[in-house]
Amino acid sequence: MSDVREYLTEVEYPCERDELLRRAAAKGAGDDVIGHLGKLPEQRYEDVEAVHRLLGDDIDPHG
């Protein structure tokens, strides 16, 4: 799921799922990445860690 992470580097949190999709698409994310993000619940995401927890990808908040 690290592929998803690279497309969310410029997202300003908190944000909605639609913003995650827009930012990823603007950075050239492929259908697989957009598909994963599209499966997220429509809600407000406080930070990238919240996104990755729901995607099942625990990330290092310091890395």
Side-chain angles (χ1 to χ4, degrees):
M1 204 57 58
S2 61
D3 291 342
V4 173
R5 192 177 324 157
E6 73 182 78
Y7 295 105
L8 301 179
T9 57
E10 296 179 13
V11 173
E12 292 183 27
Y13 294 92
C15 70
E16 304 291 328
R17 182 186 72 176
D18 289 345
E19 180 64 12
L20 296 173
L21 291 165
R22 276 192 296 273
R23 292 292 183 138
K27 287 196 69 138
D31 291 341
D32 57 335
V33 171
I34 298 297
H36 284 312
L37 292 174
K39 292 178 185 176
L40 290 171
E42 288 188 37
Q43 66 181 41
R44 187 170 184 84
Y45 294 91
E46 295 301 318
D47 53 35
V48 71
E49 289 84 9
V51 174
H52 286 283
R53 275 192 301 274
L54 286 173
L55 290 173
D57 182 32
D58 293 324
I59 63 170
D60 178 358
H62 305 292

